[in-house]
Amino acid sequence: MQVVWKNQKELRCGYTTGSCAAAAAKAAAAMLFSGEEIRQVSLMTPKGIELYLEVEKIQRENESVSCAIQKDSGDDPDVTNGIFVYAKVTKKREKGMTLDGGIGVGRFTRKVLEQEAGEAAINKVPRQMIREAVQSQIEKYDWDGGADVLVYVPQGVEIAKKTFNPRLGIEGGISVLGTSGIVEPMSEQALVESILLELRVRKAAGERYLLVTPGNYGADFIRASIGLDPRTAVLTSNFIGDQELAVKCSNYIGDAIDDGVRLKMDGLLLVGHIGKLVKIAAGVMNTHSRQADARMEVLAVHAAMAGADRETVCALMKCFTTKEALDILEERGLLEETMRTVMEKIEYHLAKRAGEKMKVGALMFSDELGVLGKTSLVDKLREKIG
């Protein structure tokens, strides 16, 4: 398996639950349509890395085959490491393919982003990988009909209790995830040190003002909406794959500020999606969900300050996503005032973290509404960076 170097250490990559599900489905389909037993299956991941995975726990029935792939997260700490991801493929006479989740695969209790209520929590890229893997075997073995595919993870019921899935509106199991198909290990210490290294390089190149974003949503927004080149930014993201991203240091906003102060930079402009930046209003500087999730608490309190009644506050506290909360605030005429005081609190915590040594500003947006608010120094910092 591929290795990467982080913090002068060789770390082994792994593969995602999505890759496991696609490989299991491919192997099950191959055995179903060929009649032969397969003990190893190949899978090309979206990242362009081909996997050769051992096929385990094979079970045959008259019109179906099921098997499993064991998840290997490499040197990345992951609660799903070592679990078995199963796929069952069943012949059907009519053309077409269905895909669903069984035991241990969570289900959405309400519409969240592109997923409808009641759907299995199998994300978009894994769904495509699974469908393409099974279709390749239908074509290879000239099957005239279609197939029903069921992905299940028996251990997922217990593992899901250790995740934030319930807060995302997912119940009953884990999510089948993965945009690249590969798990690239990134230790916390390596991520934090990578921020400092990036800032050192930029300072040596003569930069005095920094553009920072918590991820790809921020990079896309910067590119499309505020006229700055995100390739000049310090991109703090756990997304793997886009090689133009200068630094991958997911969620460590506080550390980026600390390093900027340490290196005596003049200013830092933070641009980010409300799902991350709203946590700063509660003083949360590591925005990973494992550390804290104060999104709805912040929005509910500031809505109350803006005049929201008890019913509205309770509705906000029941939201799973910031989009739902923003819809409520906009519908009830509370959005502008709520965002105003949220940004005041964000400015307070950023200034407190940076002290008097470095100017810090923040611009917060959502995909649907665009700019939601900005702190007092944003325009000046934009001029310096631009």
Side-chain angles (χ1 to χ4, degrees):
M1 190 60 198
Q2 181 182 359
V3 297
V4 294
W5 284 88
K6 300 292 181 183
N7 196 28
Q8 298 184 353
K9 295 180 180 178
E10 185 179 78
L11 300 177
R12 187 172 58 87
C13 294
Y15 38 89
T16 63
T17 48
S19 289
C20 292
K26 180 179 180 180
M31 288 187 279
L32 178 64
F33 299 126
S34 71
E36 300 174 357
E37 187 164 294
I38 295 173
R39 287 295 177 176
Q40 187 181 71
V41 62
S42 65
L43 180 76
M44 181 59 72
T45 63
K47 194 175 178 68
I49 296 173
E50 189 165 17
L51 302 175
Y52 295 90
L53 304 176
E54 299 300 317
V55 181
E56 304 189 53
K57 302 184 182 297
I58 299 168
Q59 291 188 343
R60 292 178 175 275
E61 299 176 14
N62 289 336
E63 296 291 305
S64 66
V65 173
S66 65
C67 62
I69 303 292
Q70 188 170 27
K71 169 75 182 295
D72 182 352
S73 300
D75 289 325
D76 191 62
D78 188 334
V79 295
T80 63
N81 186 48
I83 66 171
F84 286 95
V85 179
Y86 292 76
K88 181 178 182 179
V89 180
T90 304
K91 287 181 180 179
K92 63 177 186 178
R93 302 303 166 186
E94 63 274 20
K95 293 186 180 296
M97 190 185 309
T98 65
L99 172 59
D100 202 359
I103 185 171
V105 174
R107 288 194 176 273
F108 286 91
T109 59
R110 60 200 300 177
K111 180 177 174 58
V112 178
L113 301 178
E114 76 272 6
Q115 304 286 150
E116 298 291 336
E119 285 188 355
I122 304 173
N123 282 16
K124 181 179 179 180
V125 173
R127 282 180 179 272
Q128 182 179 346
M129 291 171 65
I130 294 164
R131 288 181 175 277
E132 289 177 354
V134 173
Q135 185 62 36
S136 70
Q137 301 309 296
I138 290 175
E139 294 172 2
K140 179 178 179 178
Y141 294 104
D142 296 322
W143 172 242
D144 290 333
D148 296 324
V149 184
L150 182 71
V151 175
Y152 56 105
V153 187
Q155 295 162 281
V157 176
E158 286 300 314
I159 290 173
K161 297 175 183 178
K162 303 176 184 178
T163 72
F164 278 84
N165 270 8
R167 292 293 298 266
L168 300 175
I170 301 169
E171 294 183 356
I174 64 170
S175 302
V176 178
L177 302 170
T179 55
S180 69
I182 298 297
V183 176
E184 185 173 334
M186 302 188 80
S187 70
E188 180 171 335
Q189 185 60 35
L191 286 170
V192 171
E193 290 182 4
S194 70
I195 303 174
L196 178 58
L197 175 61
E198 175 66 21
L199 300 194
R200 285 186 188 279
V201 171
R202 293 187 180 279
K203 183 180 180 182
E207 294 186 28
R208 303 297 308 170
Y209 291 86
L210 301 165
L211 181 62
V212 181
T213 178
N216 292 287
Y217 287 133
D220 291 342
F221 184 80
I222 290 166
R223 183 182 294 109
S225 303
I226 67 173
L228 294 173
D229 185 350
R231 288 174 295 181
T232 68
V234 178
L235 297 174
T236 55
S237 170
N238 60 0
F239 179 80
I240 298 166
D242 189 345
Q243 296 304 310
E244 81 172 20
L245 302 185
V247 175
K248 301 173 184 177
C249 50
S250 171
N251 301 295
Y252 299 102
I253 292 170
D255 290 283
I257 295 171
D258 293 345
D259 290 340
V261 172
R262 176 180 175 182
L263 296 174
K264 299 181 180 180
M265 305 299 284
D266 291 332
L268 183 152
L269 173 57
L270 175 66
V271 178
H273 189 272
I274 183 175
K276 293 288 187 185
L277 263 58
V278 73
K279 298 180 184 182
I280 299 173
V284 177
M285 293 291 176
N286 180 336
T287 58
H288 197 290
S289 58
R290 286 196 303 263
Q291 301 295 323
D293 184 6
R295 296 169 303 154
M296 300 313 158
E297 289 81 357
V298 167
L299 293 174
V301 167
H302 285 269
M305 291 168 57
D309 57 19
R310 183 178 184 279
E311 179 187 358
T312 300
V313 171
C314 291
L316 290 169
M317 287 299 296
K318 292 178 181 178
C319 290
F320 290 117
T321 67
T322 51
K323 181 184 183 304
E324 293 176 87
L326 290 174
D327 288 344
I328 291 172
L329 292 171
E330 187 176 33
E331 177 187 333
R332 303 186 187 187
L334 298 166
L335 181 61
E336 184 176 349
E337 179 61 16
T338 300
M339 290 300 105
R340 185 185 70 80
T341 58
V342 166
M343 294 311 300
E344 286 181 353
K345 204 65 177 176
I346 289 174
E347 184 162 34
Y348 167 79
H349 284 293
L350 290 176
K352 184 177 179 181
R353 184 70 176 239
E356 298 179 356
K357 302 294 185 180
M358 183 177 70
K359 303 299 183 184
V360 183
L363 185 149
M364 186 169 73
F365 69 90
S366 78
D367 295 335
E368 295 75 23
L369 299 176
V371 175
L372 297 171
K374 59 184 181 180
T375 60
S376 62
L377 296 177
V378 165
D379 291 337
K380 290 182 179 180
L381 290 169
R382 281 176 61 179
E383 289 177 7
K384 293 290 186 180
I385 295 170

